[in-house]
Every structure is written in structure tokens, then in C-alpha cells.
Amino acid sequence: MSQEPVWIHPVVNDAQGRPLDVMELRGLTVDVIVGVYNRERVTPQPLRLDVALFLDARQAAVGGRLANTVHYGRLAGELRFLLDACRFELLESAAEAVCRYLLAPPTDAAPHAHLHAATVRVTKPEALTGWAIPSLQVHRTSEEMVYRTEAKAFGHVDVIHEGATYGVYRLRVAPGRGIPPRADGHTEGMELVLGAGMLLQGQPVGRGLAFSGPGVFGHRYDNPTATEQTVLGVYRPRLVLSEQEAAGSAAPVGPGTLYYLPE
């Protein structure tokens, strides 16, 4: 077994000067499209992700509730989804998008403890065919993150990250509301259902299921629950939030891909 790379991240203190607790998720490796060269845009290659989350775990230790910490099993699936869906050109874009997703405020559908900061390292182990292993490590704090949110008929859209050719968004569906089929000029999308109790084309859809392709814009989501539900979407090109929503026609739903481990 090859030796694990050295993983060093900073010490972060809380407002009282006490070191924050650190939750690590290391070695998440996914074969994805990543890079700027033509061969990298058509052939998947491994991308390794290591993250360190800075939080106060005291309340979770006493109360024993997942909402007071981070559900690392679901988070691993969400990060896999981002790596699959975004098809990053640069390591810099991948690291920034992951940081922005990690530090975004929690939603009702995916509650977790407040994260004060995150360290993210992305590595392309096969990029230089064994000559060397390129990687990038960044550190971001929640205070420096600014997120734009726009009210929509179904609830709200949070802009998590926008790259040159894509955007990452959280579609938050209010209780009793629904996202209709869309016809807004997008050519490609990938959506991950984060909450429980959603309906897709009138049928129950499980938490952690993802759907991809042009057909996602013809999907209708409904939230019959009493809690706001969330769909994480990656779209090409970016969403134009200021434009009026356009209704499209319903599209058939495929089997989807499960990104969460069985619980």
C-alpha cells in the first residue's frame, strides 16, 4: 500500500481563543473529467479530495444528534456529486467550489453544525504520468463567504459557485410548492435530491438520488412535506436568475444514480 500524503492544515480558534475541533474526510477519489487539455476533457482521470472541517463538536458529543455535527456519509456523496457534475477545468476551481459548498449555511433538508472554516486539498495523481503529483490546498473561512439568494415562486435559489461554463445552485422548495418543468435554454444539468419526502413527476424520490442530462429540465419536483426541501443542481450554462421562469414540457425520469450510502 502506498504511503498516504502528508496532510497539514492550520489551527483555527473560536471567539474565546480555544482551538476548534476538526473533522476530516480524506482520500475521496473519483474518476472525473478535470483539466484544460483536449484529452482531459474527454477521458476521466482520478481526482483525490481531502477536506478538514472546523467546528465545535461539544453539543453533538452531549446531545448525540447528527444535526449538531456533520453527517460525513452524506457529505461524501455530495462531494462526489460535485466532482462528477462540475467537470472542473482547474484545480483552483475545484477547491473553491468545494469550499463554498462546505461553508454554505445549512438548510432544513440537510441540517448540520456551523462550520467556521474549511481546508481543502485536491490532487491529480495521474496528471503527470508519474513524474510528480500536482495538488492544491486552500483554506477558507465562513466569514469571507458571501452567497446570493433569489426568491422564486417555489421558494429560493442559493448561488453556491459559478465557474466559467457552469453554476452550482441549491433549489430550496418551500412546503406545498413545486419546481415546474423548465425551458430556459440550458443544454445540460445534474440534480441531487438532498431531502426526504420529495416527489419527482408525482412519485416519491429517495434522498441522495441524482439525475442527469438535458431531461432534468423537464422534471417536476413537488414538496408535500411541512419542511423546506432542497435539490442541489449543477447546470450548463449558468442559471440566469433575473429572467422570468419559462414552463417546459414534462420529461421521462430515468433510474437515477445513488450518491448516498445505505443507512
Side-chain angles (χ1 to χ4, degrees):
M1 179 180 297
S2 61
Q3 185 176 4
E4 184 176 354
V6 176
W7 174 229
I8 301 174
H9 47 70
V11 174
V12 178
N13 298 327
D14 64 12
Q16 289 74 43
R18 302 172 301 187
L20 286 165
D21 304 313
V22 184
M23 177 180 288
E24 296 182 347
L25 189 62
R26 293 189 285 180
L28 179 63
T29 304
V30 186
D31 288 337
V32 296
I33 297 295
V34 56
V36 297
Y37 298 111
N38 290 338
R39 67 181 185 278
E40 296 180 306
R41 302 311 296 169
V42 296
T43 304
Q45 63 178 301
L47 186 69
R48 172 180 167 133
L49 183 65
D50 303 294
V51 303
L53 311 175
F54 298 84
L55 71 162
D56 188 338
R58 292 177 177 86
Q59 190 174 358
V62 174
R65 296 182 65 246
L66 278 171
N68 294 328
T69 182
V70 174
H71 194 309
Y72 50 78
R74 292 179 186 169
L75 178 61
E78 292 156 19
L79 295 178
R80 284 182 54 233
F81 169 83
L82 288 177
L83 297 182
D84 277 341
C86 290
R87 302 207 304 267
F88 299 106
E89 287 85 4
L90 300 175
L91 293 182
E92 290 82 353
S93 300
E96 192 68 21
V98 169
C99 279
R100 289 188 60 82
Y101 182 73
L102 293 172
L103 297 175
T107 65
D108 291 343
H112 61 73
H114 170 66
L115 298 180
H116 297 258
T119 299
V120 170
R121 179 173 65 183
V122 286
T123 304
K124 291 173 67 175
E126 296 181 5
L128 300 180
T129 62
W131 291 2
I133 299 177
S135 68
L136 172 70
Q137 179 171 312
V138 303
H139 181 80
R140 302 288 185 267
T141 65
S142 59
E143 288 80 6
E144 67 186 286
M145 294 297 178
V146 177
Y147 300 92
R148 181 162 58 98
T149 297
E150 182 164 323
K152 308 294 280 185
F154 61 79
H156 294 85
V157 174
D158 300 326
V159 181
I160 301 301
H161 175 74
E162 290 185 319
T165 61
Y166 64 91
V168 181
Y169 308 90
R170 291 192 311 202
L171 285 61
R172 295 189 281 121
V173 188
R177 301 288 182 87
I179 304 175
R182 292 144 285 165
D184 47 10
H186 288 84
T187 59
E188 187 177 355
M190 193 166 179
E191 295 176 337
L192 176 67
V193 178
L194 299 184
M198 288 281 283
L199 300 179
L200 174 58
Q201 308 290 63
Q203 299 298 317
V205 57
R207 187 200 304 264
L209 274 174
F211 304 88
S212 61
V216 299
F217 303 109
H219 291 173
R220 178 180 179 86
Y221 294 94
D222 287 289
N223 177 14
T225 75
T227 304
E228 180 187 79
Q229 299 295 334
T230 305
V231 176
L232 177 62
V234 176
Y235 306 112
R236 299 175 185 277
R238 305 175 180 180
L239 287 182
V240 182
L241 297 178
S242 59
E243 291 188 354
Q244 184 177 0
E245 293 180 5
S249 57
V253 177
T257 301
L258 184 62
Y259 276 85
Y260 286 174
L261 293 172
E263 296 182 354

